[in-house]
DNA sequence: ACCCCATTATGAAGCGATTCATGTGCGGGA
DNA sequence: TCCCGCACATGAATCGCTTCATAATGGGGT
């Protein structure tokens, strides 16, 4: 499938020769190092003639200034680091877009890394960013343990929690109310007549998963149903379409007497796998099984069975997080909580008049 | 929609007090700076008792080592920078995943940035990475101008082109044959009987767009059609669903006599917008208008009208790029070209026996 | 002719880490 | 008892840059 051709040329790796330093440039241009530095940083203070000589030397030597040295001396850098749970999840990339758009205005640069829901990786990236002196970090934490984020802030780097309310007042955060989201989804399904609902969820170490479950359970309790039996929670092997497929197979394998008639998926990727599998297995949606997702990603409305989903103001989440990062020194950190919104589509509403299956 | 509460506490920004340095730690522990450095880097060379004292001091002072200083002295860092065209495009995030997975093995860390198809931004990020001494960069260039990438390599940082064949032998690259992809799509549409085909494309400054167009035109010529009149190219205002909507509106507004009967979209996001709009306008797909996309993103098969699309080995593209980055010093750079594959679904195959959705 | 100030260039000091040649102390062999 | 070598610890030198006090230059005012 892949045809590759080798070139008969030099290696890709670094050449042995040393990178030119500012001293080399100064020597070549016949000026002092301070002058070169000025050309780089305050060109207006240098006589045009001198500046040109220096610039020529820079071009000649292929000089790139050493960011480490620069930063070591100057203090900080104009960049911001972001750590998200999953680089492949549209929710987070949309949020990253929001952050980037906002940061662009102040000509900050953005670096993104994905933790894959792994605390260790999250810590590693955070430390990397911190060691390299970013101005701020925006983190969507993998677990409840956010001591390392607090520590970063304590050491003087601005920090904002993304998609998670802050447990302490001195740390700013931007989040969406996931309990409310879970509640919305399940209240809707109950209103549609469902009395046993499956929840395809991720591990409870992830707060979002836990909160959505709690909201779901609360909605049941409010409706007089026992969450213990009416809410069938299944932990999927991954928050992906394949995870959803595995999860829904477990559901349909249940004995008909206890089988749920609706599924609430912890995100739309999982729901996608569910819809795919149900279609292959010939189960009608929503008649045979109603489905509600979470995130309302771009394609949710365009699926074979348009997917009901809980919508979050994703990109606004990002812009807001970026805003909070650099508020004036004396302003208090803020905890912003957005409210989710349920978008009902065909996958959960069989008839316009809110039909009851069974 | 957003309710926010202010806490009455300290500011989010950096605290005034200076970060502890290795000297502070040495002082606190009553040892020399060299010893602290050894505890950090070669703990086995330090007496356990001493080590503990130093570690206590580190914890006490909340010490984080200064990456800039470390790197200034030590040379390079174990991280890799990636610049992609669009952070919100699944194609690139999937590729990024591939890169990350591969790099993880060698415990490199990955930083990703999106250029939004802007050459300046691409240059900025590349320079940022280089100044900070990453081990290598992987770039999907926004335009044909890749001098800056070559320059990076020349200065000794490994570099690989992503999703674009390298024009010079000494620069490694990983790409998919986009001409072949465009050809596949259009050959298929012609085989379905279409004689006038719209191409919703991005700007020709983007190579992928240009190549797919060239492939499309070649397919037409081969079939004895005149690409000049039979291929109606429309440049969309953005490679997004909204861009697709704008594009297809232009197509349907054409006089019936010259209106194409099929659309080839430069990517699936655009195709998504096209399908959405056609459905709203009551145009049947594929009878009224056949649609083919590009990328075969996760959800392509699950849409209301399953979307025919050209599939690329996305994540393998990423792993391969990461592989190429750090080949042995003496091995030649490689140009890897993957071949795309057409996946035919309902959106372009009117008769069941031509397209089998699977 | 003289002085003064503004403009531009200079180069040493210092940022915080690593490295390495040098110092110190201690145990064991002669 | 003396000396050698080993195991640790020491701290000055160094990386490349920015900063800033100081020097050099030259033009204008008196």
């Amino acid at each position: 499938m892949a045809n590759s051709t080798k070139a008969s040329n030099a290696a890709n790796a670094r050449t042995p020769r040393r990178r030119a330093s500012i001293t080399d440039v100064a020597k070549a241009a016949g000026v002092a190092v301070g002058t070169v530095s000025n050309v780089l940083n305050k060109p207006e203070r240098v006589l045009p003639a001198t500046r040109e000589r220096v610039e020529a030397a820079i071009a000649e030597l292929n000089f790139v200034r050493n960011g480490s040295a620069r930063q070591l001396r100057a203090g900080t850098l104009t960049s911001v680091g972001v750590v998200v749970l999953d680089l492949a999840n549209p929710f987070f990339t949309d949020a990253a877009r929001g952050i980037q758009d906002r940061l662009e205005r102040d000509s900050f640069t953005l670096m993104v890394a994905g933790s894959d829901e792994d605390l260790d990786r999250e810590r590693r990236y955070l430390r990397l960013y911190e060691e390299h002196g970013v101005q701020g970090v925006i983190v969507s934490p993998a677990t409840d343990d956010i001591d390392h984020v607090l520590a970063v802030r304590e050491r003087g780097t601005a920090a904002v929690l993304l998609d998670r309310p802050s447990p302490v007042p001195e740390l700013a955060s931007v989040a969406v109310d996931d309990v409310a989201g879970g509640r919305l989804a399940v209240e809707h399904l109950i209103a549609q007549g469902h009395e046993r609902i499956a929840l395809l969820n991720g591990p409870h170490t992830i707060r979002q998963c836990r909160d959505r479950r709690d909201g779901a359970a609360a909605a049941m309790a409010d409706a007089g149903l026992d969450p213990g039996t009416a809410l069938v929670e299944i932990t999927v092997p991954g928050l992906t379409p394949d995870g959803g497929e595995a999860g829904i197979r477990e559901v349909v394998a249940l004995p008909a007497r206890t089988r749920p008639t609706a599924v609430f998926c912890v995100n739309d990727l999982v729901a996608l796998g569910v819809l795919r599998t149900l279609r292959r297995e010939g189960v009608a949606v929503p008649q045979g099984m109603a489905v509600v997702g979470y995130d309302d990603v771009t394609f949710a409305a365009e699926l074979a069975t348009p997917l009901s989903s809980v919508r979050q103001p994703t990109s606004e989440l990002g812009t807001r997080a970026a805003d909070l990062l650099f508020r004036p020194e004396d302003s208090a950190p803020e905890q912003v909580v957005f409210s989710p919104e349920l978008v009902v589509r065909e996958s959960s509403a069989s008839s316009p008049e809110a039909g009851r299956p069974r």
Side-chain angles (χ1 to χ4, degrees), chain A:
Chain A
M1 186 180 188
N3 35 320
S4 61
T5 53
K6 291 198 187 250
S8 58
N9 223 301
N12 183 33
R14 46 236 133 271
T15 43
R17 80 181 174 303
R18 201 176 49 85
R19 256 165 76 157
S21 82
I22 206 176
T23 320
D24 301 328
V25 173
K27 214 164 291 174
V31 298
V33 292
T35 305
V36 178
S37 175
N38 280 335
V39 169
L40 258 26
N41 304 304
K42 311 164 184 163
E44 74 284 0
R45 291 206 193 162
V46 179
L47 219 55
T50 319
R51 195 192 313 159
E52 274 164 32
R53 266 191 10 256
V54 173
E55 276 162 355
I58 287 179
E60 168 72 27
L61 295 178
N62 228 324
F63 167 75
V64 175
R65 75 157 161 264
N66 182 321
S68 307
R70 171 188 175 71
Q71 197 183 328
L72 172 57
R73 189 64 243 263
T76 54
L77 188 61
T78 61
S79 64
V80 168
V82 175
V83 183
V84 299
L85 290 184
D86 181 4
L87 271 182
N89 187 330
F91 173 76
F92 287 113
T93 51
D94 285 353
R97 276 300 296 247
I99 297 173
Q100 189 177 30
D101 289 349
R102 178 63 188 74
L103 249 30
E104 195 86 349
R105 276 205 260 152
D106 305 343
S107 63
F108 274 88
T109 50
L110 219 222
M111 298 188 292
V112 186
S115 68
D116 286 348
E117 289 138 29
D118 180 71
L119 180 58
D120 258 356
R121 230 180 312 230
E122 176 182 321
R123 285 215 187 91
R124 273 219 315 275
Y125 279 114
L126 217 51
R127 171 157 285 250
L128 183 77
Y129 287 143
E130 188 183 7
E131 288 189 354
H132 284 81
V134 297
Q135 287 274 7
V137 294
I138 297 178
V139 190
S140 75
T143 71
D144 277 338
D145 183 353
I146 56 156
D147 290 350
H148 50 294
V149 184
L150 283 170
V152 166
R153 215 200 75 86
E154 208 118 284
R155 286 186 221 103
T157 303
V160 171
L161 250 35
L162 180 69
D163 197 29
R164 132 100 54 160
S166 166
V168 294
E170 68 270 23
L171 184 62
S173 70
V174 179
V176 180
D177 187 339
D178 283 300
V179 176
R183 181 185 280 274
L184 278 175
V186 169
E187 275 173 354
H188 162 67
L189 288 172
I190 291 173
Q192 297 288 310
H194 297 280
E195 300 194 330
R196 194 179 287 267
I197 298 171
L199 167 59
L200 298 195
N201 207 359
H204 283 190
T205 44
I206 303 179
R207 187 210 43 95
Q208 288 87 333
C209 299
R210 216 170 45 227
D211 281 3
R212 289 172 198 174
R213 196 273 323 264
D214 289 350
M220 292 220 135
D222 286 359
L225 298 169
D226 173 19
T229 58
L231 185 67
V232 181
E233 183 169 13
I234 289 176
T235 304
V236 299
L239 299 177
T240 59
D242 288 344
E245 169 157 1
I248 193 65
R249 284 194 190 285
E250 267 188 63
V251 173
V252 297
L254 290 172
R257 213 173 37 81
T258 63
R259 187 187 311 138
T261 56
V263 208
F264 171 33
C265 303
V266 75
N267 77 23
D268 283 350
L269 292 180
V270 170
L272 187 66
V274 168
L275 289 175
R276 186 179 71 195
T277 309
L278 290 175
R279 204 144 62 100
R280 284 196 197 143
E281 301 296 321
V283 177
V285 176
Q287 297 79 14
M289 184 73 73
V291 181
V292 174
Y294 210 109
D295 285 348
D296 193 31
V297 295
T298 339
F299 55 80
E302 309 305 318
L303 297 174
T305 311
L307 177 65
S308 299
S309 193
V310 178
R311 174 184 297 168
Q312 317 193 59
T314 318
S315 133
E316 198 175 350
L317 209 64
T319 19
R320 199 58 177 275
D323 272 339
L324 289 187
L325 203 53
F326 299 125
R327 356 203 60 225
E329 181 96 13
D330 54 350
S331 69
E334 262 188 70
Q335 324 293 348
V336 179
V337 179
F338 288 96
S339 301
E341 200 180 328
L342 178 69
V343 183
V344 177
R345 300 199 182 89
E346 222 177 292
S347 73
S348 67
S350 44
S351 56
E353 65 273 13
R356 318 198 155 223
R358 294 212 303 152

